[in-house]
Amino acid sequence: MMRPLGRWLVCLLLAGVALQLFFLLRIALMLVLDPQSTSFQRSEMWRLAREDGTRAQWSQTWLPYERIADPLKRAVIASEDAAFVEHGGVEWEAIERARQRNARAEELAARRAARAAAQGRPTRPPQLRGGSTISQQLAKNLLLSGERTLLRKGQELVLTQLLELFLGKRRILEIYLNSVEWGEGVFGAEAAARHYFGKGADRLTASEAARLAVMLPSPKFYEKRPYSPYLNGRAATIVARMGAVELP
């Protein structure tokens, strides 16, 4: 007769297998069905509804891949994941570089904070950057919670491989551009183009596309600072890189 601990372990194993099968089925369905929402979107809408006490405004309009302007595709790849069409979903070297950059940024921020505290001045937290690919970002936003744990990171890596295996680069980029956050309650390329430039995502220019791409790591921050020097300078750099980008 199986002991209680053994039964619990078997139950946990079966639950884990069932969860992976559930994820696999959802991803396979995305070959033919556009996802109506992502885990991140639902979490954001719930947060806004709690804060406002009313129904949060959700702006999103799905566009097929062909109707999203190529400059936006090129700009997002140039800004977020230059090797998107080449890697298998994860760039380990980029993750290590991001870890080293973040360690240096935190060390520098600690020194600045110490000096600012001595002078009675406020400080800003360090700007940390991730090494996640577009495929990893989609896996996280599409199906996972926002918590930062090793277990969730491991699940993200598994889902990334499933996305690459079942959907391919073109479909991954299409879903990403239609669901990524571009402001408070603003999701996807079409909503972003309407919100910031008053036009459809099929009519974006290279400079407009570059500005949207640069916003992606911190869309809510740049939504309130659309003319920040960093945004202007970084957008010019992305425009210069777009010509070398290969599209899936």
Side-chain angles (χ1 to χ4, degrees):
M1 184 175 180
M2 188 177 295
R3 296 180 179 180
L5 178 59
R7 288 199 295 270
W8 275 109
L9 290 175
V10 170
C11 288
L12 287 174
L13 178 61
L14 291 176
V17 171
L19 180 62
Q20 302 314 307
L21 290 174
F22 169 74
F23 284 144
L24 190 152
L25 178 60
R26 287 197 61 184
I27 290 172
L29 287 174
M30 290 177 200
L31 273 170
V32 293
L33 297 176
D34 300 329
Q36 297 301 304
S37 65
T38 68
S39 177
F40 177 79
Q41 288 172 339
R42 294 188 294 272
S43 175
E44 278 296 289
M45 290 301 97
W46 176 244
R47 179 187 64 80
L48 290 174
R50 289 201 316 270
E51 291 177 356
D52 297 343
T54 58
R55 185 175 181 179
Q57 295 298 312
W58 180 331
S59 179
Q60 181 183 24
T61 301
W62 188 278
L63 286 184
Y65 185 87
E66 297 77 11
R67 289 189 55 199
I68 301 174
D70 283 350
L72 183 59
K73 300 169 191 171
R74 296 183 190 279
V76 168
I77 292 175
S79 181
E80 293 287 288
D81 186 1
F84 175 65
V85 299
E86 301 168 3
H87 61 63
V90 180
E91 275 205 291
W92 299 106
E93 291 183 0
I95 293 174
E96 177 58 23
R97 288 196 300 270
R99 186 194 66 78
Q100 294 175 358
R101 282 196 305 266
N102 291 340
R104 289 194 296 268
E106 289 177 335
E107 182 180 352
L108 182 60
R111 294 175 185 172
R112 289 175 176 170
R115 290 197 297 268
Q119 300 170 5
R121 294 184 290 105
T123 60
R124 291 193 308 172
Q127 289 188 333
L128 304 181
R129 297 183 62 183
S132 297
T133 64
I134 286 175
S135 301
Q136 286 177 266
Q137 293 178 48
L138 180 61
K140 177 183 65 176
N141 293 337
L142 197 60
L143 298 165
L144 301 176
S145 68
E147 63 181 352
R148 295 174 180 243
T149 65
L150 287 177
L151 182 61
R152 200 231 66 187
K153 191 66 178 179
Q155 181 67 79
E156 175 190 309
L157 296 176
V158 171
L159 293 177
T160 297
Q161 297 306 311
L162 291 176
L163 288 173
E164 292 274 341
L165 177 64
F166 281 88
L167 302 185
K169 300 291 186 180
R170 182 184 174 101
R171 181 61 168 163
I172 287 172
L173 185 59
E174 179 184 26
I175 297 175
Y176 179 83
L177 291 175
N178 274 291
S179 59
V180 71
E181 182 187 42
W182 252 302
E184 196 80 274
V186 179
F187 298 100
E190 179 70 5
R194 298 283 179 189
H195 181 67
Y196 294 106
F197 303 112
K199 62 170 69 172
D202 59 335
R203 297 171 52 213
L204 289 170
T205 65
S207 61
E208 292 167 343
R211 294 185 71 83
L212 288 180
V214 174
M215 292 178 67
L216 281 179
S218 306
K220 297 188 186 76
F221 178 87
Y222 290 115
E223 183 180 25
K224 298 176 182 177
R225 301 165 180 84
Y227 304 106
S228 75
Y230 173 82
L231 183 59
N232 293 335
R234 178 67 176 167
T237 300
I238 295 303
V239 170
R241 295 178 180 176
M242 287 165 56
V245 171
E246 180 184 352
L247 294 180

